[in-house]
Amino acid sequence: MRRNTRRRPTGARRRTFAAVALILGGGGLVAANTYASAGEGDSGGRVQDQSGGDQAATISCPDVGQQLTDLPGEARADVDKALADLDQQITEAYDRLTSTRQEQAQDGNFVRDAILGPLSEKRTEVIGQIKIDVKRAGGTAPESLDGLAACTEISPAQAQKNDGGGDGDNQNGDADTADPGTGQDGDGQAGGQPDDNGNGAAGPFAEDFVDITKVQPNIQAKPRNTGKASTGTFTVECGVNENKIFNTDNLIVAPGVDNGAHHTHDYVGNQGVDAFASNDDLANAETSCSEQGDKSSYYWPVLRVQDGTQEFDAEQQGGGLEGNVGRILAADKAEIQYVGSPTGKVVAMPKFLRIITGDAKAFTNGTANANANWSCTGFEDKVQLADKYPICPQGSSVVRSFAFQSCWDGQNIDSANHRAHVAFADAEGNCGNGFKAIPQLTMRLVYDVPAPIIENGQVRNPYAVDGFPEQLHKPITDHDDFINVMDEDLMDEVVDCVNAGRQCGAGAGEQPQEPQKPEEPKQPQEPKQPEQPEEPQKPEEPKQPEQPEQPQEPKEPKDKPAPQEPQEPQEPQEPQDEQDEQEPTPEASSADKDPAKKPGAAPDAPADPSAAPSDAATRTQEAEAPDDAREGETKARATSPAETSDTGVETQSEEAQPQPQADSGSLASTGADLWPAAAGGVLVLGGLVLLIHTRRRNMTTN
């Protein structure tokens, strides 16, 4: 019988085996936790689709209406309804996109085959009908219409860039993780996700906001006044929609179409505006303006806070059913003013002239017609943002401002694409192409907005402008609408006042009556005006942009927001110390691509610090080329003034600081995610201690 000569492990060897086991086990835990963390990124627990790629964030379709610059009058009604059909098709396709996340996760071709394909087929039919309607009315449809049927998807990575791009290129797979704003889980249920804010993850996202105290000054110089300049102002007081006149129609773009805007508008001035109002209806309606001769319609998309409030339209088209959710904010001020031209006199606007400024589809269309201007009281003369919502310091209010087109073709009150009949002045303030200068309508809307909370790459209780659902509530889509329904006498007063260099209208006493005198040289009448003592009643309105800021001066001084700077210095100083360590190189390279004169996007949040500025700058350059009239001061403010080459570096790096500070507050989440690594580290350390102790003991024994 053979003897078993295998030796049993000694105590030292057992301790060595135990030490090695502890080290291997602990190392395995650490490695597993590291791998899991890499898969999650900073997604905050989001579930990625099972196909391994990003799901589509939204869809982009070419804007057919912008190509229709010349249509026979007989065809316009039919064409407008056809264009509204195209908008409805996009809305329905976007709704299907957001409700089929599980199918998309299981089939990488689902979006293309089940959503974009059928959509393009429907669009082909409608575009064909438009061509028939134009031909039947004796016109010729542009050949380019045939190539406008196909739509594409915008990936979450591209959706982070606030300029959108307008080209709709499919960039699925560009990012390692899903966009923080998508918030959709594998079965398509978005309601429980923390970043959908109740709107099915239709935005806005954390990347859409910026701390305005960290943005470099970017205001462009205004054109200099010549000796023939018309320097007067005429102020109109029409309230802030105290009557709560809301609807989701758009009488200019989609007359005769219910819910043609797909978002809710505030209305001041004319109280009888809806999709079915005729010019006679407008002329006979009541007005909220103090000047009863002004029955003009001034309307804009409402601003909401996505705080879970169920508004009156929560279950209606254009409202909650299309992603426009939350509490509607009433403006504290709605300042309406007509100003002159820096190069000459202005002529009267024709009655029923229609003007749209800005582009409700700028996220997918590109920035050619964008004219969004966001700022905060106390910062308006320093910073204007186009594609970022500002986070204002305490005591400061959010400001939306608009400067409408100031050049008119002299003939038409509207055009086929609702833009060609008016234009912006050039950089010197001149109207080109034989257009005539008209009193320029300017508007300033001031809101008391609670600051959103940005944490872990997500935003809670954000505010956003209403819009088409597929536009993801991007700030670049802000816009404003106007229909002139002033009686001729009042319009003549406006023109005479502006041309004579006076300050007239609301808050200026009886001065509006004086412009009826056609003799412009009689400007010396100004010191003789007995009504001027009444100006202190409303000091801010006669003095254009500076006076409206003065009421906020007790909250935040005009030159420097000193009352808030006890908080501001803490953010700019510490982040600036850290920015050299974090991401100076990629941001600097991105900023180098942005011309300082007209950069294309405001600083992005840290999710993609270098992509948006360079991409948006390209968009801005593309936008400027086809539209010479947008080279003036209004255009400069419209195309993302938030970035200069300096801002691209400093602002983005500084903006990155508040979010890591917010991340540090989520200790429970952090501990839950990291405990396996911590346990593994303890095991490895214990194994090393045991191994060292065993070796020393063996050496002592030997």
Side-chain angles (χ1 to χ4, degrees):
M1 185 175 193
R2 185 176 180 182
R3 182 179 178 182
N4 186 354
T5 59
R6 185 174 59 185
R7 298 175 57 188
R8 293 185 178 182
T10 64
R13 298 184 68 182
R14 285 196 297 268
R15 286 192 294 272
T16 300
F17 293 154
V20 172
L22 287 174
I23 293 173
L24 292 177
L29 281 175
V30 173
N33 186 249
T34 301
Y35 178 81
S37 298
E40 287 184 4
D42 57 356
S43 63
R46 294 187 304 277
V47 179
Q48 295 188 10
D49 64 51
Q50 297 174 11
S51 64
D54 290 338
Q55 297 183 352
T58 187
I59 55 179
S60 175
C61 299
D63 194 332
V64 176
Q66 296 305 305
Q67 303 298 319
L68 301 175
T69 57
D70 185 17
L71 286 178
E74 297 81 358
R76 287 191 181 178
D78 291 333
V79 170
D80 283 338
K81 291 181 180 179
L83 294 175
D85 288 343
L86 293 177
D87 287 339
Q88 180 63 31
Q89 291 172 358
I90 296 173
T91 296
E92 293 172 354
Y94 176 78
D95 180 66
R96 181 159 172 75
L97 180 74
T98 58
S99 63
T100 57
R101 295 301 188 188
Q102 184 175 13
E103 291 86 345
Q104 296 172 42
Q106 296 172 349
D107 182 359
N109 295 324
F110 182 87
V111 174
R112 182 192 64 191
D113 296 340
I115 298 178
L116 297 181
L119 174 60
S120 295
E121 292 176 1
K122 294 178 182 178
R123 286 171 58 85
T124 299
E125 295 179 3
V126 175
I127 292 173
Q129 185 61 49
I130 290 176
K131 296 171 63 177
I132 293 173
D133 292 336
V134 173
K135 184 176 181 180
R136 184 179 298 159
T140 302
E143 296 180 0
S144 60
L145 294 186
D146 292 330
L148 303 181
C151 299
T152 52
E153 59 185 290
I154 293 179
S155 71
Q158 188 178 6
Q160 293 180 7
K161 304 174 184 179
N162 298 327
D163 68 325
D167 53 11
D169 289 342
N170 181 356
Q171 297 181 5
N172 274 350
D174 286 352
D176 293 332
T177 60
D179 173 65
T182 57
Q184 296 281 4
D185 58 17
D187 59 8
Q189 299 299 318
Q193 294 293 330
D195 57 350
D196 70 1
N197 295 296
N199 67 357
F205 311 134
E207 293 80 5
D208 295 322
F209 293 86
V210 64
D211 183 345
I212 199 168
T213 65
K214 298 177 180 179
V215 181
Q216 293 292 322
N218 53 43
I219 297 299
Q220 302 289 327
K222 295 181 179 180
R224 293 184 178 182
N225 290 334
T226 67
K228 298 180 180 180
S230 46
T231 59
T233 62
F234 192 99
T235 303
V236 177
E237 177 57 59
C238 298
V240 294
N241 196 17
E242 292 89 345
N243 295 332
K244 297 187 181 301
I245 304 297
F246 302 112
N247 65 52
T248 62
D249 300 340
N250 194 327
L251 178 58
I252 297 178
V253 175
V257 178
D258 188 44
N259 190 38
H262 296 268
H263 55 265
T264 299
H265 288 125
D266 265 320
Y267 289 87
V268 303
N270 199 291
Q271 301 290 282
V273 183
D274 61 27
F276 307 96
S278 66
N279 286 346
D280 288 340
D281 293 331
L282 298 177
N284 295 324
E286 295 182 354
T287 180
S288 66
C289 299
S290 57
E291 286 279 1
Q292 291 299 295
D294 186 9
K295 296 186 178 182
S296 300
S297 178
Y298 308 92
Y299 63 100
W300 54 83
V302 299
L303 197 67
R304 302 186 194 238
V305 175
Q306 296 178 359
D307 60 359
T309 300
Q310 296 292 301
E311 273 286 2
F312 69 92
D313 59 353
E315 300 298 327
Q316 298 177 14
Q317 292 294 326
L321 295 183
E322 297 189 58
N324 294 306
V325 300
R327 173 166 53 95
I328 293 178
L329 297 173
D332 293 336
K333 294 181 180 180
E335 298 170 351
I336 303 173
Q337 195 169 75
Y338 295 87
V339 301
S341 165
T343 61
K345 306 305 180 184
V346 299
V347 301
M349 295 181 181
K351 197 168 186 177
F352 304 120
L353 175 69
R354 287 149 164 81
I355 307 179
I356 301 172
T357 194
D359 186 358
K361 302 176 183 177
F363 179 60
T364 56
N365 281 350
T367 59
N369 294 308
N371 191 18
N373 295 273
W374 297 89
S375 191
C376 302
T377 54
F379 293 83
E380 293 170 81
D381 60 345
K382 307 176 188 67
V383 176
Q384 290 289 335
L385 305 171
D387 54 6
K388 294 286 185 182
Y389 292 118
I391 298 178
C392 302
Q394 185 176 6
S396 178
S397 299
V398 171
V399 180
R400 302 163 65 186
S401 57
F402 305 93
F404 283 68
Q405 295 89 317
S406 59
C407 301
W408 168 54
D409 67 5
Q411 297 179 351
N412 300 296
I413 62 172
D414 199 2
S415 51
N417 63 359
H418 313 292
R419 297 185 184 275
H421 63 299
V422 290
F424 289 95
D426 64 19
E428 286 73 37
N430 296 304
C431 292
N433 300 323
F435 280 38
K436 301 178 180 180
I438 55 176
Q440 184 177 32
L441 171 61
T442 64
M443 297 182 63
R444 178 176 179 268
L445 309 176
V446 182
Y447 296 84
D448 181 14
V449 179
I453 300 172
I454 297 178
E455 186 176 23
N456 297 329
Q458 297 176 341
V459 57
R460 290 189 287 117
N461 296 338
Y463 70 91
V465 65
D466 260 24
F468 289 90
E470 77 279 358
Q471 299 299 312
L472 304 182
H473 295 100
K474 294 293 185 180
I476 194 73
T477 64
D478 201 10
H479 58 283
D480 206 346
D481 302 80
F482 166 69
I483 304 175
N484 172 43
V485 199
M486 281 191 184
D487 63 42
E488 293 182 2
D489 290 340
L490 182 58
M491 177 54 67
D492 288 342
E493 291 182 15
V494 173
V495 171
D496 290 343
C497 174
V498 169
N499 284 339
R502 294 194 295 269
Q503 295 178 349
C504 314
E510 299 179 2
Q511 289 184 4
Q513 298 178 356
E514 295 180 7
Q516 295 177 357
K517 302 177 182 180
E519 300 180 6
E520 297 177 0
K522 294 186 178 181
Q523 294 182 14
Q525 291 178 356
E526 290 183 347
K528 298 178 182 179
Q529 293 166 358
E531 293 76 18
Q532 286 183 349
E534 295 180 12
E535 291 183 358
Q537 296 176 358
K538 295 182 179 180
E540 70 275 28
E541 308 215 0
K543 293 187 179 180
Q544 274 187 321
E546 296 181 4
Q547 276 289 53
E549 292 181 6
Q550 292 178 1
Q552 282 83 35
E553 286 184 348
K555 302 177 182 178
E556 182 171 300
K558 184 175 180 181
D559 293 332
K560 293 183 179 180
Q564 286 73 37
E565 287 193 339
Q567 299 175 358
E568 295 171 14
Q570 298 174 1
E571 297 179 1
Q573 292 174 3
E574 295 181 3
Q576 286 175 357
D577 294 338
E578 298 175 9
Q579 88 178 23
D580 293 336
E581 302 175 6
Q582 291 187 347
E583 300 172 293
T585 302
E587 293 178 354
S589 62
S590 172
D592 291 339
K593 300 177 183 178
D594 292 337
K597 56 177 185 177
K598 289 184 183 178
D604 273 350
D608 192 359
S610 62
S614 59
D615 183 69
T618 303
R619 300 294 166 200
T620 304
Q621 295 168 0
E622 293 174 354
E624 292 171 358
D627 194 349
D628 295 338
R630 298 186 60 82
E631 295 176 2
E633 179 243 341
T634 303
K635 169 63 178 174
R637 292 192 298 167
T639 50
S640 197
E643 298 133 79
T644 61
S645 57
D646 293 336
T647 309
V649 177
E650 297 181 12
T651 307
Q652 292 174 3
S653 296
E654 290 170 358
E655 184 190 357
Q657 304 313 312
Q659 296 187 16
Q661 292 171 2
D663 291 345
S664 64
S666 183
L667 296 179
S669 175
T670 302
D673 292 339
L674 297 182
W675 74 262
V682 171
L683 291 176
V684 171
L685 182 61
L688 290 173
V689 171
L690 181 58
L691 183 61
I692 293 172
H693 178 73
T694 301
R695 293 187 63 184
R696 287 180 177 176
R697 186 170 180 177
N698 288 341
M699 292 175 63
T700 303
T701 303
N702 295 336

